[in-house]
Amino acid sequence: MERINIAIDGPSGAGKSTISKLLAKKLNITYLDTGAMYRTVAVYCLRKGVSVNDAAAVEPLLKEINISYIGDPLDRHICLNGEDVSTAIREHQVSKAASDVSKIPAVRLFLVEMQRKIASEYDVVLDGRDITSYVLPNAKYKFFLTASPECRAKRRYEELKAKGQEIPYEQILADVKDRDYNDSTRAFAPLKQTEDSILVDSSNMTIDEVANFMLDAIKNK
Ligand code: DC
């Protein structure tokens, strides 16, 4: 039986995780947030005091990292060696660390292997940066979800504020642009839109509009 694999890529803050969760719920399938996996590796390195830019120091740590999931299939929490780190990985400084650690090929290979295994065992919506281009190039459903940097920074600002983290909008906008550059210019599996992905610009769309547009595209394929 052919697995349903829905691959969604795009820059940070485009709404990928919100939309992916909604699609997974509507289709009653699993959701895999691959960014959370890179964030978990970054958290481990930060805790160990190892620079996320030092590939030679990060590589040996990978064998000490066990990633697992607990809880509701539609709101799964990610665990690092058995500890629920789903809140810790959302701290602002972890975003840049995850982007940096994701440049290390050994880190990518380690996580991509897990992602492909999950995609082969479950019907799943996966979101990330390289799902359509590298992790699952043969996925039947592929989307590139984006929005303007200003719009993404504004959403991120509101999100952090709601969690009690007051970070100036200007700084968030600079961080968003910095991360876009970092993610799209790295050597191995950079963020890019593949020719066979459907482009969705969510700048002027509500969450429901985006989800309905994507559901229609899936049904009509
Ligand atoms: O989606 P996110 O912001 O949680 O991802 C954090 C970082 O992880 C992102 O800046 C780049 C990296 N990442 C990646 O390189 N490949 C993926 N498939 C997902 C995330």
Side-chain angles (χ1 to χ4, degrees):
M1 192 188 67
E2 196 190 351
R3 286 268 163 238
I4 300 173
N5 285 169
I6 301 173
I8 305 177
D9 284 325
S12 56
K16 293 188 303 291
S17 63
T18 307
I19 293 297
S20 301
K21 265 189 215 163
L22 199 57
L23 291 182
K25 189 172 175 194
K26 291 200 180 208
L27 297 168
N28 197 23
I29 62 178
T30 298
Y31 164 52
L32 185 68
D33 174 356
T34 64
M37 298 168 116
Y38 289 92
R39 287 170 179 270
T40 299
V41 172
V43 164
Y44 191 72
C45 295
L46 293 172
R47 287 182 179 176
K48 284 270 166 179
V50 166
S51 164
V52 286
N53 293 297
D54 184 347
V58 171
E59 274 190 51
L61 296 187
L62 295 175
K63 61 177 181 317
E64 300 170 12
I65 296 177
N66 179 46
I67 293 177
S68 58
Y69 295 89
I70 50 165
D72 177 348
L74 287 172
D75 187 23
R76 249 187 260 280
H77 285 203
I78 192 161
C79 297
L80 166 62
N81 296 334
E83 175 197 343
D84 183 345
V85 288
S86 46
T87 302
I89 61 168
R90 298 294 158 203
E91 304 245 332
H92 188 61
Q93 80 277 9
V94 175
S95 300
K96 178 65 167 51
S99 180
D100 285 338
V101 91
S102 77
K103 289 190 209 168
I104 301 173
V107 171
R108 303 203 70 80
L109 293 174
F110 171 65
L111 296 179
V112 166
E113 192 183 315
M114 286 177 62
Q115 293 157 12
R116 286 185 178 148
K117 185 164 185 286
I118 292 169
S120 72
E121 291 173 354
Y122 300 91
D123 292 333
V124 62
V125 181
L126 296 92
D127 75 353
R129 303 294 188 288
D130 62 340
I131 311 301
T132 58
S133 60
Y134 184 74
V135 180
L136 300 173
N138 298 321
K140 186 166 176 189
Y141 308 104
K142 293 173 149 191
F143 296 93
F144 191 81
L145 181 60
T146 190
S148 70
E150 290 74 18
C151 179
R152 290 185 280 124
K154 186 162 175 287
R155 289 178 189 161
R156 185 91 187 112
Y157 172 80
E158 303 290 350
E159 208 176 281
L160 288 170
K161 199 171 155 197
K163 285 189 209 157
Q165 295 184 51
E166 273 282 356
I167 295 172
Y169 167 80
E170 305 308 331
Q171 187 192 325
I172 294 183
L173 179 60
D175 289 351
V176 160
K177 288 182 176 172
D178 187 38
R179 212 137 68 86
D180 283 359
Y181 180 81
N182 219 13
D183 294 345
S184 54
T185 56
R186 67 170 176 243
F188 186 12
L191 168 68
K192 64 169 186 229
Q193 185 192 340
T194 62
E195 273 180 20
D196 56 356
S197 294
I198 297 174
L199 175 67
V200 187
D201 185 333
S202 72
S203 301
N204 296 307
M205 292 170 87
T206 64
I207 290 167
D208 281 335
E209 283 169 347
V210 174
N212 288 333
F213 173 84
M214 291 169 78
L215 280 171
D216 281 347
I218 291 165
K219 282 181 193 139
N220 293 328
K221 178 118 185 172

